[in-house]
Amino acid sequence: MLQCTAFTALPPDEALKALGSMEGGPEDASDHLDDKHYVLCVLGEHDEKTEHAAHLWTAETEPSKGLWFLWTESEGGHRVCHRFVTLTMCAVRLHHIEEDYR
């Protein structure tokens, strides 16, 4: 499966507010966003009905929660709408005994 190549500008004020209000968010939310002017969709290839998604932060809570930036685009590639969501991260962990890889 190919990687989605969509990217968009991250709205800095909204991102700062979302990170600052997130349980387990970074103490230095503005520093964390300094190099995130644009975000790339981390999903594989998908249709236009599926929102693009960029991962911004994982809180060390139990279970782990991640802050995601989701957006949709018009046919011309312009962002139509966006939202920040906090989702429970996948609990599956890989463990390779011989190489002690987790």
Side-chain angles (χ1 to χ4, degrees), residues 37-70:
H37 302 287
Y38 292 89
V39 291
L40 175 67
C41 181
V42 298
L43 303 177
E45 238 179 354
H46 54 89
D47 62 25
E48 64 277 349
K49 294 178 185 174
T50 303
E51 290 176 299
H52 297 289
H55 180 253
L56 299 178
W57 182 260
T58 300
E60 293 184 18
T61 57
E62 197 54 47
S64 297
K65 303 259 185 200
L67 180 63
W68 293 83
F69 179 67
L70 306 177

